[in-house]
Each structure stands twice: as structure tokens, then as C-alpha cells.
Amino acid sequence: MYKCVQIFSSAYGLALLCLLIYSTLVITGAAYFLYVGLRIGDSQGVPGVVVLISMEILKFLIIVEPCHRATMESKETKRILTEINRQTDEPMLVKEITQFWKQLLLTTKVEFSAMGIVNIDRRLITSIINVMSTFLVILIQFHNLQ
């Protein structure tokens, strides 16, 4: 599984990174224009902007959630193997489980990443929310200066 994750991360890392940055910018920009539109009393474009933001959030979740679940499944597999290894008395089975366990340990952590820059898991969602909030505050402050 580790090898598959490495191949996936190296093959699609740049595309994932660009997609994540694009989605972040689109959500931030759309939220800003939603704020400006509501502030000046123009609610005509609100449904379209809300749909745009919703679609980008959905796209973001479609990327992040499978990567997170695969990482959690890997951890659960290691836990189950540890439990089986502790409860098994049969020498041949112990040998095979131990060998499989060593292979899993050699893979270290199974984590999807975008070119090694950022790990793709649920923690990424909170990081992106922090970035968007910061940019929105800055944009709103600039708007209020005018």
C-alpha cells in the first residue's frame, strides 16, 4: 500500500497541489464577493455564489476524505495485525504474520501528499479554513478602507 501511495503522490502531486490552491482561491474570492454584494444590498448573485462555494467545498472534500480514510485504514490494519500476533500460538502463522508486520513497519507512515509539501488528510481542511479566514479578513479590511 505504501508503494501505491508513493506512486499516487508522485504522479498526481502537482495536479492535487494546483487543485487545492485553486479551490482555496475560488472559495476565498467568492466569499469576498458574497460579502461585498450583501454589504451593498445586491442579493441577486447570492444563489450563484453560494452554489459555487458549495461545489468547491465538495470538490475539496472529495479529494481529502478518501486520502484520510486510506491512511486510517492502514493504521487499523497495523493494529489488527498486532492483536492477531499477540493471540496466535501456531508457529507457522506467527512467522507469516511477523513477516507481514515487518513489511508494514518498513513502510513507515502511509500518507498521501501533494508533492511532499502538504499531507492530504483532515488536518488540511482546518489549515485551509485558517488561510481563507485570514485572507478574507485582509480583503474586508481593504474594502472598508475605501
Side-chain angles (χ1 to χ4, degrees), residues 7 14 28 70 72-73 90 95 99 115 123:
I7 291 170
L14 180 61
T28 305
M72 292 297 108
E73 199 63 36
E90 202 172 310
K95 182 181 176 184
Q99 183 179 1
M115 294 185 63
R123 292 176 294 173

Side-chain angles (χ1 to χ4, degrees), residues 59-144:
K59 185 188 331 177
F60 199 82
L61 292 175
I62 287 173
I63 294 169
V64 171
E65 192 59 26
C67 295
H68 175 76
R69 287 186 185 217
T71 302
M72 292 297 108
E73 199 63 36
S74 170
K75 291 178 182 177
E76 181 66 14
T77 302
K78 288 180 181 180
R79 189 196 65 75
I80 290 170
L81 278 176
T82 303
E83 192 68 29
I84 292 172
N85 199 16
R86 282 188 321 130
Q87 297 176 358
T88 304
D89 296 333
E90 202 172 310
M92 189 65 172
L93 187 58
V94 169
K95 182 181 176 184
E96 290 198 25
I97 290 174
T98 304
Q99 183 179 1
F100 186 55
W101 174 242
K102 286 179 182 177
Q103 288 174 349
L104 280 176
L105 280 181
L106 289 176
T107 63
T108 60
K109 289 185 177 180
V110 174
E111 292 181 337
F112 291 87
S113 70
M115 294 185 63
I117 296 172
V118 61
N119 288 336
I120 301 174
D121 56 9
R122 287 183 182 163
R123 292 176 294 173
L124 179 63
I125 295 172
T126 57
S127 298
I128 295 296
I129 289 171
N130 288 336
V131 167
M132 287 188 294
S133 301
T134 303
F135 279 129
L136 274 173
V137 167
I138 292 169
L139 289 172
I140 289 170
Q141 287 175 346
F142 276 123
H143 179 75
N144 288 340

